[in-house]
Amino acid sequence: MKVLLINPPATNTFEEHDEPNHPCMSVAYIAAYLRVKGLQVDVLDCKLERLDFEQTIDRFRKNKYDIAGFTSFTHDVHNVNILCEAFKRIDPNVVTILGGVHVTAVPYDTLAAFPKLDIVVVGEGEYTFYDICEAVENKNRDFSGIQGIFYNDKDGEIKINPIRMREQDLDKLPFPAYDLFPRAEKIQIITARGCPNFCSFCMSPYGRKIMRFRSLDNVMQELDWIINTFKPKVIRFNDETFSHDYDRATKMLNMIIERNYHKQVSFIISTRANKIDYELAILMKKANV
């Protein structure tokens, strides 16, 4: 069985994610997990490669894929619909799946609006996507027992499955499969999922109540792999609030300095104004943030 994961083309540029100089981290995580499970996975990061619809559809046509999985923000979710319709014309049996922040926020409405979309994944997708692949590979296409999805059944009725609990031990997940993407100047890393704050402008796709932290040893292993394998100019920490745990942030920055990572690459972080002080700002500067 073959799976194609797609970050769809951008038709308009509203933000840096529409013309990125970095691979799509969410797609890379899904690809890595599926690959560890023994599935054949291809990636099309159309935004990174600057592919248009015709080029994307041509890539799909040249290969036989059983599953096409997409990610999307709200402002380009209609681009996913365009591709779903095109892929179904080429192969009516392909299973189309959409994950990401938009469908996590409005799963039912999205599925109802796009009849060529088979399944939407709510929340984090590594385990959920693999369960879907197993159902497709087993030929039964019975999605009724898969947690964390809304799907269209054989009669065209939308079914709503129970939510999936989030993985608490993030060290269990493989590093993102950045080797499947073209080389890029910037690469993203995430060391914690979740944020306890309730900012009105934020979707908070990883959950609001509990932050789940990777071990710092695991983080350093990934940094070492990224720096030595891909040699990016910039690494962005995608943590929603990097310094929520002040002591952990301090330890991480010191470990970066001790390993001389700060001499090989610059870093970008995001945090809140009430989660930083003068001492931490000085340490960040020293670590080339």
Side-chain angles (χ1 to χ4, degrees):
M1 191 178 70
K2 293 176 65 177
V3 179
L4 179 64
L5 300 177
I6 307 127
N7 186 19
T11 49
N12 294 287
T13 301
F14 294 103
E15 58 182 12
E16 67 168 320
H17 296 295
D18 295 322
E19 291 186 351
N21 59 353
H22 57 82
C24 180
M25 185 179 67
S26 60
V27 169
Y29 261 113
I30 301 291
Y33 189 76
L34 296 183
R35 190 167 61 180
V36 165
K37 290 294 186 177
L39 299 180
Q40 183 176 343
V41 186
D42 290 336
V43 166
L44 263 185
D45 193 338
C46 302
K47 292 183 175 69
L48 178 61
E49 294 192 50
R50 309 298 193 260
L51 300 179
D52 59 23
F53 288 107
E54 188 174 321
Q55 292 168 315
T56 305
I57 294 166
D58 188 55
R59 293 268 193 103
F60 176 83
R61 185 183 290 109
K62 288 178 179 178
N63 296 277
K64 170 64 177 175
Y65 292 103
D66 302 279
I67 293 175
F70 302 87
T71 188
S72 175
F73 293 105
T74 297
H75 70 268
D76 61 359
V77 69
H78 287 281
N79 295 342
V80 172
N81 186 49
I82 291 170
L83 292 176
C84 284
E85 290 178 345
F87 290 1
K88 288 283 191 177
R89 285 194 295 269
I90 296 168
D91 181 3
N93 293 316
V94 66
V95 177
T96 53
I97 307 168
L98 175 60
V101 291
H102 177 82
V103 291
T104 295
V106 284
Y108 188 96
D109 291 346
T110 305
L111 199 55
F114 303 147
K116 298 302 182 182
L117 183 60
D118 296 315
I119 305 172
V120 297
V121 175
V122 178
E124 296 167 27
E126 290 92 350
Y127 299 155
T128 305
F129 205 106
Y130 175 66
D131 286 349
I132 297 169
C133 292
E134 276 199 311
V136 174
E137 192 168 29
N138 292 335
K139 306 300 181 184
N140 59 20
R141 299 201 176 192
D142 179 7
F143 307 119
S144 61
I146 300 175
Q147 296 178 337
I149 67 170
F150 289 42
Y151 69 98
N152 281 308
D153 69 5
K154 295 177 181 178
D155 298 321
E157 182 181 351
I158 294 177
K159 298 293 186 179
I160 303 172
N161 289 1
I163 63 169
R164 181 182 293 270
M165 299 302 293
R166 302 176 190 274
E167 174 60 65
Q168 300 301 305
D169 184 2
L170 299 181
D171 286 6
K172 290 182 178 179
L173 297 175
F175 298 155
Y178 290 132
D179 56 293
L180 298 179
F181 296 74
R183 288 292 180 95
E185 293 182 353
K186 182 193 295 184
I187 288 184
Q188 298 175 317
I189 183 173
I190 189 166
T191 80
R193 296 186 181 185
C195 181
N197 301 298
F198 285 82
C199 300
S200 61
F201 57 81
C202 182
M203 166 61 194
S204 195
Y206 297 114
R208 292 185 182 272
K209 293 183 179 180
I210 299 174
M211 289 189 71
R212 294 158 291 143
F213 297 98
R214 293 169 58 187
S215 69
L216 292 185
D217 285 342
N218 186 255
V219 172
M220 292 301 133
Q221 288 174 21
E222 184 178 356
L223 279 177
D224 186 73
W225 170 67
I226 288 173
I227 291 171
N228 288 303
T229 303
F230 305 106
K231 297 177 172 53
K233 295 180 180 179
V234 179
I235 293 176
R236 176 183 175 82
F237 285 93
N238 238 30
D239 303 36
E240 293 178 86
T241 310
F242 176 84
S243 57
H244 176 78
D245 184 329
Y246 187 96
D247 291 340
R248 180 178 182 271
T250 301
K251 289 178 182 177
M252 197 184 317
L253 293 168
N254 279 319
M255 292 173 80
I256 286 172
I257 295 168
E258 289 166 4
R259 288 163 171 75
N260 288 321
Y261 295 153
H262 64 306
K263 296 181 180 179
Q264 302 174 66
V265 64
S266 62
F267 297 94
I268 298 173
I269 67 145
S270 298
T271 191
R272 286 169 60 95
N274 64 341
K275 292 294 182 179
I276 188 171
D277 59 16
Y278 181 77
E279 287 74 20
L280 185 59
I282 292 296
L283 185 59
M284 288 178 178
K285 179 67 174 177
K286 187 177 179 181
N288 201 17
V289 174

